[in-house]
Amino acid sequence: MKPLVLLGTGNGLGRVREMLLAREPELNIVRPDDADAQQAEVALCWNPVPGSLGMYPHLRLIHSIAAGADQIFKDPSRNPQIPVCRIVDPDHRLGMVEYVLWGVLHYHRGFDQVLRNQAWVFWDRPAQRPAKQTKVGVMGLGELGRAVASQLAALDFDTRGWARRAQQIEGVTTFQAGEIKAFLSGLDILVCLLPLTTETVGILGEETFAQMATGSVVINCGRGEHLNREDLLAALDNGQLRSALLDVFEQEPLPVTDPFWRHPQICVTPHIASSASYEVIAGQILENLARLESGAPLANEVNPEQGY
Ligand code: NDP
């Protein structure tokens, strides 16, 4: 096989390279500066720089090393004929379920207030209410959102889910694309697990917050670009939102000067909601390399029309 080129930033690509070579030492995995990079038939990507994909004329497969493939679709130089695949790891779902349950329980039980009160050495017992009285909405009911919504419903939260197409999940009231107002109406906690596309960019903004309950909470695990930063700060200031738990940002790492770091109503986590294991990532890439060679259908191919 011709070379595989690593495109993008972060140490994840290096870890994937090590894992691939441990399993298939004969693979020729190169960096863009290497002499034979131009011959690459496969690009392995994490946040590739826009304009980079078009530099490899022999590409036959573009593989994200993560669940999201939005950065790949943002590259205007990408040849739309080349298939794009992503990673789907069952354990990934569990990690996301843990993160979102932690966030929802944190706000539902008022631990944000309790922690603030401790700093003031103030004994105050927030009112406890049953989970079924807390309305939680999950935007995006794919590999991750379905599992999250289902576990929230199992804990007896009044759970809603929203996706483009009609879906059925036990215990969850579901809504389709055109029903977003009904989905958002009166939500106490909104969880974003959407992919980033031209339709979903900026979806966490004033219009959305205005439909939710006064003093509600936003949890963003999708992508930083889903959030309108100015609208979030305004909604926190005017009390429409009580808090935001943010795991993803337009610029990562979040710059040290970013006001989000020090905002008393924002909890910042460093894109840790869930990651696929490097074993699974390497295994799925190897599986797709084998399928590419044999002409079998690729696994976890992204629909280029939808962008996810
Ligand atoms: P999937 O592609 O499996 O699911 C996407 C879901 O979003 C589908 O239910 C889809 O609807 C829905 N959707 C897409 N566009 C729209 C729209 N315009 N209106 C309404 N619903 C829409 O994605 P995953 O569940 O695997 O992952 C979701 C995202 O989570 C990733 O793209 C990534 O950005 C983020 N992520 C974040 C991580 C973190 O650690 N913070 C880790 C992993 C992923 P339908 O079912 O009708 O197609």
Side-chain angles (χ1 to χ4, degrees), residues 209 227-236 241 244 246 260 266:
F209 305 148
L227 181 71
N228 181 317
R229 292 174 54 100
E230 284 67 37
D231 288 1
L232 173 73
L233 292 171
L236 290 170
L241 292 182
L246 307 177
F260 281 5
I266 295 179

Side-chain angles (χ1 to χ4, degrees), residues 45-299:
C45 304
W46 173 247
N47 288 345
V49 177
S52 56
L53 284 165
M55 295 168 72
Y56 303 93
H58 306 292
L59 284 186
R60 294 164 59 207
L61 170 64
I62 300 171
H63 215 303
S64 169
I65 65 160
D70 45 286
Q71 292 289 338
I72 291 169
F73 286 95
K74 271 192 211 156
D75 185 337
S77 72
R78 175 185 64 91
N79 176 348
Q81 306 302 321
I82 302 168
V84 176
C85 292
R86 69 185 188 119
I87 302 296
V88 176
D89 175 2
D91 290 341
H92 211 192
R93 278 178 222 143
L94 296 178
M96 190 56 80
V97 166
E98 287 169 1
Y99 180 94
V100 175
L101 287 188
W102 165 69
V104 168
L105 290 170
H106 182 76
Y107 296 108
H108 164 67
R109 291 300 307 271
F111 291 126
D112 53 334
Q113 288 155 16
V114 169
L115 291 175
R116 256 199 310 274
N117 288 343
Q118 184 176 353
W120 291 98
V121 195
F122 178 48
W123 182 282
D124 182 48
R125 303 173 71 215
Q128 188 178 337
R129 61 177 183 173
K132 64 177 172 234
Q133 286 179 17
T134 294
K135 298 182 181 63
V136 186
V138 180
M139 296 181 117
L141 298 173
E143 292 292 332
L144 304 176
R146 281 184 78 84
V148 165
S150 171
Q151 290 300 314
L152 287 167
L155 283 181
D156 212 24
F157 284 100
D158 181 351
T159 310
R160 300 179 193 169
W162 182 68
R164 265 180 357 125
R165 293 163 287 220
Q167 303 238 7
Q168 280 196 333
I169 307 170
E170 196 183 336
V172 180
T173 310
T174 53
F175 299 82
Q176 309 178 42
E179 301 171 324
I180 188 161
K181 281 199 174 165
F183 162 75
L184 292 170
S185 176
L187 282 183
D188 298 299
I189 302 178
L190 175 64
V191 179
C192 177
L193 272 169
L194 288 167
L196 184 66
T197 66
T198 49
E199 287 176 20
T200 64
V201 65
I203 195 163
L204 301 177
E206 185 185 4
E207 223 179 298
T208 291
F209 305 148
Q211 312 291 325
M212 297 164 59
T214 306
S216 48
V217 172
V218 167
I219 299 179
N220 187 18
C221 300
R223 286 288 180 260
E225 291 89 337
H226 284 132
L227 181 71
N228 181 317
R229 292 174 54 100
E230 284 67 37
D231 288 1
L232 173 73
L233 292 171
L236 290 170
D237 274 356
N238 68 28
Q240 177 56 25
L241 292 182
R242 156 177 150 208
S243 281
L245 169 57
L246 307 177
D247 187 53
V248 284
F249 305 90
E250 274 177 61
Q251 193 182 339
E252 295 182 3
L254 187 63
V256 289
T257 52
D258 195 295
F260 281 5
W261 278 114
R262 290 168 190 85
H263 196 294
Q265 290 150 277
I266 295 179
C267 178
V268 167
T269 59
H271 203 142
I272 50 153
S274 186
S275 1
S277 77
Y278 287 108
E279 285 84 356
V280 170
I281 297 171
Q284 291 191 0
I285 291 169
L286 290 174
E287 170 67 25
N288 267 339
L289 294 181
R291 290 178 183 221
L292 190 67
E293 286 316 294
S294 70
L298 295 164

